[in-house]
Amino acid sequence: MKEIIAMHGWAGNSNQWSNWEQIFKCYEWEWRNSERGYTAISPHIPKWNHNSNQVKLKRVAICHSLGSHLIDKQVLYSATHVVLINSFSRFIPSGKENRPIKLALNRMMDAINTPNEASMLRKFHVKAYKPNHIDADSIESNLINISDLGRVKLKKDLKLLIDSDSLPIGLNTLANVLIVNSEEDNILANQTKAKLAEDLRKHLKFLPKIINLQDEGHSITKIKNIKKIKHWLEFNHAKNMV
């Protein structure tokens, strides 16, 4: 059996996985989305359908960005495979270069629940998709119908991102982990990516594998790159795909 639970990142929603879900379901994967519920989509915390320890069973947690820290901890712990897409252990790098990042994050925090909220979120989503295009409808879907509870979650989760300094709670040391890094990511600093790889090497029994994508930004959009990740999950390469 092959099943996936996917978790979006900060200010996102489960609609971002539509292409992923379509591709994986064509190859007989079971797919379910976690949903934080910032907008009109109801919050949802799925559980694994298959909980045995069969050798051929794959329970895959796919997490985008902050999603690795937002996903249900028991789901993460029980995953046989974990895909970390432009994720992090510590978001803000240590050292002097972290000051502009801290300032930018604090400005985003201050904009929530103010007249500047929509503008801030719009800029964030455009930056997350660069160098790829995101259509206006997709952006607006992340801005409309944000509930009062959704704003509370936006603030709470942004603070979680700002304060992050370690691997997500619940990551099993026996999991097979794939790090997916976009070389044109305008959200994560290179030092942040290196820190995640370092922390994972110390934590895991098996070395994490790495895929570097040259033509993607923080959000993965290209079908060929989604298929690269599917290929790794199905064939479990012994060497890094760089």
Side-chain angles (χ1 to χ4, degrees), residues 77-120:
Y77 179 77
S78 301
T80 61
H81 296 68
V82 179
V83 179
L84 300 175
I85 301 170
N86 294 316
S87 299
F88 52 88
S89 49
R90 177 189 177 95
F91 184 87
I92 301 175
S94 56
K96 296 179 180 178
E97 65 277 10
N98 67 15
R99 180 172 172 78
I101 296 177
K102 285 183 177 179
L103 289 173
L105 291 170
N106 287 331
R107 285 196 296 269
M108 292 170 67
M109 181 74 79
D110 291 341
I112 298 173
N113 205 22
T114 75
N116 296 322
E117 178 184 88
S119 175
M120 177 273 290

Side-chain angles (χ1 to χ4, degrees), residues 14-55:
S14 53
N15 289 336
Q16 74 182 60
W17 301 111
S18 57
N19 285 338
W20 293 71
E21 183 174 359
Q22 183 177 2
I23 290 170
F24 275 87
K25 281 186 172 179
C26 285
Y27 291 86
E28 299 182 342
W29 284 82
E30 298 178 23
W31 184 288
R32 286 182 302 287
N33 292 318
S34 295
E35 173 60 52
R36 191 73 175 114
Y38 298 123
T39 58
I41 306 176
S42 298
H44 182 56
I45 305 175
K47 303 296 183 182
W48 299 114
N49 284 336
H50 308 285
N51 289 310
S52 70
N53 292 316
Q54 298 175 18
V55 174

Side-chain angles (χ1 to χ4, degrees), residues 115-124 143:
N116 296 322
E117 178 184 88
S119 175
M120 177 273 290
L121 290 172
R122 189 176 292 109
K123 289 177 181 177
F124 169 75
L143 304 180

